[in-house]
Amino acid sequence: MRPPPPPPAAFSKHHLLRIRRCLPPVWLNAAHARDPSPPPPPPPPPPTSFFSPSSLSALLFSCTAGHARLTGEQVHARAVALGLGAHPSVLPRLASFYIALGDLSAARAAVERAAGKARAFPWNLLIWGYADRGLWGEVVLAYERMLALGVGADRFTYPSVLRACGELRDATIGRGIEQRIQRWGYGLDMYVWNALVGMYAKCGELEDARRVFDGMPARDVVSWNAMVSGYASTGMWGEAFELLQQVPGANIVTWNIVAAGNLKAGNNGEVMRLVSQMRSSHGPGLDFVTVVVGLKACGRNGYLRIGRELHGVAVRLCFDRLERVECSLITMYSRCQMMRSAYRLFRTCSVRSMATWNSLLAGFAFMEQVEEAMCLFREMTGSAVFPNDVTVLTMLSLSARFGHLCHGREMHCYIIKHGLSGSNLLQNSLVDMYSKSRQMAAARRVFEQMQCRDRHAYTSLILGYGMQREGLVSLKLFDEMIANNIKVDHVTMVAVLSACSHSGLVTQGQLRFAEMFDVFCIAPRVEHFSCMVDLYCREGLLRMAEEIINKMSFQPTAAMLATLIEACRIHGKMEIGDRAAKRLLAMRTDNPGHYKLIANMYISAKRWPELAKVRSSMSAMELNMIRTHSLLESEYDICLVKQVCCLNHSTHGGLSDDMTDIDFSSSEEVKFNEGFGG
C-alpha cells in the first residue's frame, strides 16, 4: 500500500495576506456571495446614561398625564433596579404618579421605601394627596411617620397637617408643631401662622388662637377671617364683632362669616343689624351670600318688609336669577305667609331646579296647604324634574301631620315604583306616617322590612302603639330596642311615657321615668314631666300630679295646668283645681280655650263668683270663646292642645286662584328699617 500523502503545510498569516492581494476583486465578490459571513453580533446594550434620573422623571411625568399605570409601573421597576427609586428627581414623580391614580397606599410605599434618603417634598405630596381626599387621620399618620424616619418637615408641610388637626379637633399635635416652628424659625411664614390660628380656632382653643394671632408680625385677610370665624363658631359674637371693627379694610367675606354664624346660632336680629350696616355707606356692600343670609333671617322672624327690600336689592344687583337666591326668596315669602308671591316667583324662575321645587313644596307644607302641595308634587312628577328623597320626605311628613292616609299611601307607592325603598330616612318616615295615621299593621310591615332599624323607627312605633293604648307592646319594643344596643334619647322617653299614660300603666311609667336619669343619663325635660302629669291625671291621682308640678325645676306650662284643671273637673277635686286655675290665670295666656276649661270647672262646682272673674278677665283681654281641647277629655281620649289661629285657613282648588297674601310684618322690624332706608 502506498502511504497516505502528507498533510498540506499550514499557511502562515503572512502568506494568506499575500495570496489575498493576488486574487482579482471579482473572485473576492463571488466568494462573499457563495460563502456568506456569519450574522453580525447583537448591538451592545444601551448605555446606562439612557436611563438617567432626568429621563426616568420625564417618563413618569408622561405616564401621570396619561394615567398609564402599566407603563408607569414598568418605569418604577426600572428605577428600582437601577437604584434610582429614591433619587430626588424620581421619587416625587413616583409619588405624584400613584396619587394621580388614586393609589395612595402605593404612593406611601414608594416614599417609605426611600427611608431616610427622601427629602420633605415627596412626603408633602403624600400629605397633600391625603388632605385633598379628606383623610385627615392619614395626614397626621404620614406626618408622624415622616418624622420617625428622620425626614425634616418644612414650611410646606405644616399648613396641611395643621388643617388636619383642626378637622380632627386635636390640638395636641398642633401645639407640637408650634414649638417646632418657633425652634426652627418659620415664624415669618404667613401660611403657617394662618394655619396655626385656624387650627386652634377649630379646636375651640380661642385663647391660644388669639395668642398666636396677637403674636403674628404681620396679618393678612386670611388671618382676620380665621380669628373672626373662630369667635363666631363658638357663639362669642361680641368678640367677633369687636374684632370685625378692627379689620383694616375688612372685605365682604369677613362680614358674611359673622352674619352666617349669627344665623346658625338663631340670632336673627343680629343678622339684620349686620346686613343693615353692610349696606350703609361705610359698609363693604352686599353680595349674593349676604342676600341669602338676610332672606333666611327674614323668613325665620317674619320680617316681610325687609325681605322685600332685599328682594329689590337682589334685582338691582342682578342676583335674583341665581338659584340660591330664588330658593331663599321663595322660602322667605312662604314663611311670611305670602304664598301667592312665592308661587308667582316660582313660575317666573328661568330654570326650575330641584331646589326651587322643594322650596315651594316646603312653603305649602309650612302653610299646612296639603292639597296644594299634592297638586304641585303631581305637576313635578309630570315634568322633567325627578323628585328626590327630600321631596318625598316633605310630602310624607305633611301627610303624617294631618293624617292624610290616601296621600301617604300614594307616596309609598311612588317610593316602591321608583326604587327609593332602600333609603332608611324614607322608611323611617313611612313608619312615622302609618303610626300617626293609626295604621299599625302597615307601620309594622314597613318596620319589619327595614334593613337597619334605628332609634327613629322604634320611637315612631312606640308612639303609635301608645296612641292605640297598647302600652305593653310599646314597652316590649322599648326593651327590644335596648337589647339591640340602640341608644335612647329624650324623644324616645317621651314616646314611652306617653304610651304608659294612654294605657294607664302607672307603675311602669314611674319606673321608666326613674330610669331616665339613673340608667340612660337623660335629664328630664318639661315634656317628660307633662307626660307624668297626664298619666296621674288620667288615673285620678291628682295630688301626685300637683306634687310633681310643684317639685319640678321648670315652670309649669299652660297646657300642663290646663290638663290638671280638666282632670279636677272630671273627678270633682275643686281644691286642687282652684289652685291650678289661679296659677293659669296668673300666666295671662292668650289661648281662650284655657279660660273655657276654668269656666267649665267653676260651672260644674257652681262657683259663680269665680266664674264672673274669669269672664271679666277674658273681656279685659278681648278674648273670644272658641272651641278647644285640653290634654284630657271626658272620655280620656288624648288630644294635643290646639291653639286655633284665626289667620290659618286652608284652600282647596287651583294653586293660584285661591291663594291670598296677608302682610304679617312683625312690629320688631321697625327698628331695622332705618338701616335700609325704609
Side-chain angles (χ1 to χ4, degrees):
M1 292 181 60
R2 295 173 59 184
F11 293 102
S12 65
K13 186 177 181 179
H14 178 69
H15 286 99
L16 290 174
L17 288 175
R18 290 182 66 184
I19 293 171
R20 183 180 179 84
R21 289 193 191 105
C22 295
L23 292 176
V26 179
W27 289 14
L28 293 175
N29 295 335
H32 281 293
R34 289 192 303 269
D35 301 322
S37 60
T48 308
S49 61
F50 179 76
F51 293 106
S52 63
S54 59
S55 59
L56 290 172
S57 177
L59 287 172
L60 287 170
F61 179 77
S62 300
C63 295
T64 303
H67 291 273
R69 184 183 185 95
L70 181 60
T71 307
E73 289 177 341
Q74 291 174 347
V75 176
H76 185 187
R78 174 64 67 177
V80 172
L82 297 175
L84 299 175
H87 194 278
S89 300
V90 178
L91 185 56
R93 294 295 187 190
L94 281 172
S96 300
F97 167 68
Y98 285 115
I99 291 172
L101 294 176
D103 193 350
L104 295 177
S105 59
R108 180 166 184 168
V111 174
E112 288 186 350
R113 186 183 181 89
K117 300 178 183 179
R119 300 178 182 176
F121 182 49
W123 286 95
N124 290 344
L125 292 173
L126 181 63
I127 288 173
W128 296 339
Y130 284 130
D132 286 341
R133 290 160 177 79
L135 303 174
W136 307 114
E138 296 296 330
V139 170
V140 175
L141 291 176
Y143 170 72
E144 292 176 342
R145 181 64 175 165
M146 173 185 180
L147 298 182
L149 293 176
V151 181
D154 59 11
R155 59 192 180 92
F156 300 104
T157 312
Y158 295 126
S160 296
V161 181
L162 288 170
R163 184 185 176 191
C165 295
E167 296 293 339
L168 296 174
R169 305 297 188 267
D170 185 4
T172 305
I173 298 176
R175 288 193 175 93
I177 291 176
E178 183 183 3
Q179 295 175 1
R180 291 178 62 88
I181 291 171
Q182 294 173 350
R183 188 183 312 124
W184 294 102
Y186 293 112
L188 297 179
D189 191 279
M190 186 70 67
Y191 294 101
V192 178
W193 285 116
N194 287 341
L196 195 59
V197 173
M199 183 274 299
Y200 280 130
K202 283 189 176 181
C203 293
E205 304 288 343
L206 272 303
E207 293 182 1
D208 290 325
R210 188 57 187 263
R211 172 180 55 79
V212 175
F213 178 81
D214 292 337
M216 293 177 65
R219 306 182 187 94
D220 59 4
V221 66
V222 178
S223 314
W224 291 95
N225 285 347
M227 197 65 239
V228 170
S229 61
Y231 281 131
S233 63
T234 55
M236 302 174 67
W237 307 114
E239 291 81 354
F241 192 73
E242 179 184 356
L243 191 63
L244 184 63
Q245 303 297 327
Q246 303 174 15
V247 178
N251 60 6
I252 198 169
V253 177
T254 312
W255 285 81
N256 285 339
I257 289 173
V258 180
N262 278 283
L263 179 69
K264 186 177 180 181
N267 300 327
N268 299 312
E270 184 67 19
V271 172
M272 301 316 304
R273 188 174 71 86
L274 286 171
V275 173
S276 175
Q277 191 169 350
M278 290 172 69
R279 197 186 173 200
S280 65
S281 58
H282 301 290
L286 305 181
D287 63 357
F288 81 95
V289 177
T290 318
V291 172
V292 169
V293 171
L295 287 172
K296 288 183 178 179
C298 291
R300 292 178 182 180
N301 275 27
Y303 297 153
L304 177 60
R305 185 177 302 174
I306 301 177
R308 282 172 168 166
E309 293 187 10
L310 285 175
H311 189 178
V313 171
V315 172
R316 288 195 298 273
L317 298 178
C318 300
F319 296 150
D320 58 319
R321 292 304 176 186
L322 296 178
E323 179 184 343
R324 290 182 60 186
V325 177
E326 288 178 336
C327 294
S328 299
L329 284 169
I330 292 173
T331 303
M332 184 273 296
Y333 282 121
S334 303
R335 292 299 180 94
C336 294
Q337 304 187 23
M338 302 283 290
M339 284 309 302
R340 174 171 292 179
S341 299
Y343 185 75
R344 285 175 178 172
L345 184 62
F346 170 79
R347 288 302 176 192
T348 58
C349 288
S350 54
V351 178
R352 296 175 192 166
S353 63
M354 177 70 66
T356 53
W357 285 92
N358 287 342
S359 298
L360 188 60
L361 272 175
F364 283 129
F366 178 78
M367 291 295 294
E368 302 178 351
Q369 296 178 351
V370 184
E371 297 302 327
E372 286 78 0
M374 202 65 213
C375 290
L376 187 68
F377 178 82
R378 294 186 182 120
E379 181 183 350
M380 184 179 182
T381 56
S383 65
V385 180
F386 187 77
N388 60 4
D389 290 3
V390 177
T391 315
V392 181
L393 185 64
T394 303
M395 297 304 301
L396 280 174
S397 62
L398 189 60
S399 302
R401 195 189 317 166
F402 296 99
H404 283 249
L405 183 60
C406 57
H407 295 329
R409 284 173 172 165
E410 185 176 345
M411 290 297 104
H412 194 178
C413 294
Y414 183 87
I415 290 172
I416 296 174
K417 180 179 179 181
H418 293 85
L420 301 177
S421 56
S423 172
N424 205 58
L425 190 62
L426 292 181
Q427 288 180 325
N428 285 336
S429 300
L430 284 172
V431 173
D432 181 63
M433 184 271 298
Y434 282 124
S435 297
K436 289 180 178 177
S437 301
R438 301 178 183 268
Q439 301 293 318
M440 297 311 301
R444 194 62 183 256
R445 279 197 302 270
V446 177
F447 178 80
E448 296 295 339
Q449 294 171 1
M450 293 179 65
Q451 299 294 328
C452 179
R453 299 166 190 167
D454 57 8
R455 180 177 66 241
H456 306 289
Y458 273 102
T459 302
S460 297
L461 269 188
I462 291 171
L463 187 62
Y465 279 114
M467 295 291 291
Q468 296 286 78
R469 299 181 181 178
E470 298 184 28
L472 294 177
V473 180
S474 296
L475 293 177
K476 184 179 179 180
L477 282 169
F478 181 68
D479 294 336
E480 178 185 328
M481 178 180 177
I482 297 173
N484 291 333
N485 296 321
I486 298 176
K487 187 177 180 180
V488 177
D489 64 355
H490 69 281
V491 180
T492 309
M493 294 308 304
V494 169
V496 172
L497 295 176
S498 176
C500 293
S501 173
H502 282 73
S503 304
L505 303 175
V506 178
T507 305
Q508 286 289 339
Q510 291 173 330
L511 178 63
R512 303 299 178 175
F513 185 78
E515 286 180 348
M516 278 183 57
F517 186 77
D518 298 337
V519 178
F520 304 113
C521 300
I522 300 174
R525 304 188 182 187
V526 178
E527 297 88 352
H528 305 112
F529 285 105
S530 297
C531 291
M532 293 304 297
V533 170
D534 183 58
L535 171 63
Y536 291 140
C537 289
R538 285 175 178 273
E539 299 305 311
L541 305 173
L542 303 183
R543 293 195 180 277
M544 298 182 68
E546 185 183 30
E547 182 180 356
I548 197 172
I549 289 176
N550 295 332
K551 287 185 177 181
M552 68 180 187
S553 57
F554 306 98
Q555 287 294 327
T557 63
M560 197 182 299
L561 293 173
T563 302
L564 181 59
I565 291 169
E566 179 70 2
C568 290
R569 183 189 68 82
I570 295 172
H571 296 282
K573 301 289 185 179
M574 290 304 303
E575 182 182 354
I576 299 175
D578 189 51
R579 289 194 293 266
K582 290 178 180 179
R583 296 181 70 173
L584 184 58
L585 289 172
M587 290 183 179
R588 298 185 63 83
T589 175
D590 58 354
N591 185 357
H594 295 160
Y595 296 91
K596 181 181 178 181
L597 291 174
I598 298 174
N600 289 341
M601 181 185 68
Y602 287 138
I603 290 173
S604 299
K606 298 181 180 180
R607 297 177 61 172
W608 312 120
E610 288 82 357
L611 176 63
K613 292 180 181 179
V614 173
R615 289 182 172 175
S616 63
S617 298
M618 293 187 65
S619 300
M621 297 179 65
E622 298 181 354
L623 295 175
N624 296 320
M625 280 287 187
I626 61 171
R627 183 169 181 172
T628 186
H629 300 277
S630 71
L631 284 172
L632 212 70
E633 290 184 340
S634 57
E635 297 181 0
Y636 293 87
D637 190 13
I638 193 71
C639 182
L640 294 178
V641 175
K642 299 179 182 177
Q643 296 183 0
V644 178
C645 176
C646 62
L647 300 177
N648 248 353
H649 57 280
S650 60
T651 60
H652 302 279
L655 286 175
S656 59
D657 295 338
D658 296 333
M659 288 186 295
T660 59
D661 284 345
I662 304 175
D663 192 341
F664 293 103
S665 302
S666 173
S667 60
E668 297 181 9
E669 63 180 285
V670 175
K671 57 186 176 183
F672 302 117
N673 288 337
E674 296 181 359
F676 286 90

